[in-house]
Amino acid sequence: MSAMLSSLRYLAGSAGPSGYGSRTTAEEATLPAGDLGHITAIVTGATSGIGAETARVLARRGARLVLPARNLKAAEETRARILGDAGSGGDRVVVLPLDLSSLASVRRFVGRFLALRLPLNLLINNAGQYAERFAVSEDGVEMTFATNYLGHFLLTELLLPAMADTARATGVQGRVVNVSSTVHAWFAADDGPLAYLHRVTRKATPYDPTRAYALSKLANVLHTAALAGRLREMGADVTANCVHPGIVRTRLIRDRAGLVTNTVFFLASKLLKTVPQAAATTCYAAVHPAVAGVSGRYFADCNEAAPSRLACSAEEASRLWSFSEGITAEKEKEMSLPVTSFRFQVQSSNADRGMAIA
């Protein structure tokens, strides 16, 4: 019955306890935050879709933005659109190269960002990939997991000291927002997430792109819970929450367009959000005053929601954290990982040899 009522509220766009609902837009969700001129935000995946709208709205509210991107040309075009829409100075949007599937690229990005000596109040881990074909990253990790989760894990780890320092110096609470998906609940494996990842990476089980995507989104939720606990232990004035933006036909879906996909989306059009609506929950978790001090929660339609049972497992969250620390730390020391840790042939990455700063 509760699921049916939730579905009816979604279709009607009825407001939940927060005062917002499925039809709320990002601009509406950020209005109570007022002027964000004191905020510096990093938004991954900001060259299209939900990330682009998130960045646009934050800039309109006055925030300074840092846009990491694999495609610098697309990022510069996004930067120009954002500056034109916000009417702000060119120094308010910075573009830096980043390939999230590469741990080395993540480290280079963080080095370049820290060299700018900017404060950091807000980190929005939004970028996502749906890989139709099986691939392994240069670090020996299944590509969807590497891009959607592991790169963001390392990015967050390396930026946490800067976020904690900024919060301490300014008195403004920092926020980390991980963009997950309700698809996280689709993942199931008798032997657990990491064992499944190991089997897929070794090609011991057939590759299923939807299952791989669901696993990466589950990892985002588990990461959020563990991160919130760590931040409390550190005494850092930084929170971490994750969000389900809703179903929207962004480039992630358009890249898979075809007769079946188009027909399904036509029939399900009443369930789809516009991009401004889909960006609302991310923006709500990022800057709304009502979320101050809230950490380790899962949001949908700008309201707290319940993730899947597996996503609530403290044991799985701890296991994933330990695995993630291990693989990223060993890479940092340039040590070869055994096959059981997903180490395969390393190839050089040239995706981020340049940089563009406004």
Side-chain angles (χ1 to χ4, degrees), residues 201-334:
T201 304
R202 294 183 61 219
K203 298 185 179 180
T205 194
Y207 177 70
D208 179 336
T210 299
R211 200 176 188 192
Y213 182 76
L215 172 59
S216 71
K217 295 290 102 177
L218 171 64
N220 294 147
V221 184
L222 292 170
H223 174 220
T224 302
L227 177 60
R230 182 180 180 189
L231 289 167
R232 285 191 291 269
E233 292 173 359
M234 291 171 55
D237 190 17
V238 180
T239 63
N241 292 292
C242 61
V243 304
H244 163 52
I247 304 172
V248 58
R249 194 169 189 184
T250 63
R251 192 181 68 184
L252 192 68
I253 298 297
R254 290 196 302 271
D255 286 347
R256 305 177 62 224
L259 178 60
V260 174
T261 302
N262 291 337
T263 301
V264 168
F265 272 85
F266 173 76
L267 295 175
S269 60
K270 295 299 182 183
L271 300 176
L272 296 181
K273 288 185 175 184
T274 64
V275 170
Q277 290 168 348
T281 306
T282 301
C283 289
Y284 176 80
V287 300
H288 198 284
V291 190
V294 177
S295 195
R297 306 296 175 83
Y298 177 80
F299 289 84
D301 300 331
C302 300
N303 286 274
E304 285 191 35
S308 71
R309 190 172 184 176
L310 183 57
C312 295
S313 170
E315 182 180 355
E316 289 295 350
S318 177
R319 187 177 293 118
L320 176 65
W321 186 280
S322 296
F323 162 78
S324 304
E325 278 194 323
I327 195 171
T328 55
E330 289 179 2
K331 178 60 180 175
E332 180 179 17
K333 297 172 186 176
E334 294 300 324

Side-chain angles (χ1 to χ4, degrees), residues 170-199:
T170 64
V172 178
Q173 188 174 71
R175 300 188 189 186
V176 177
V177 180
N178 289 331
V179 179
S180 181
S181 168
T182 190
V183 174
H184 82 270
W186 296 4
F187 179 81
D190 293 338
D191 52 357
L194 291 179
Y196 173 76
L197 177 64
H198 176 58
R199 286 189 283 110

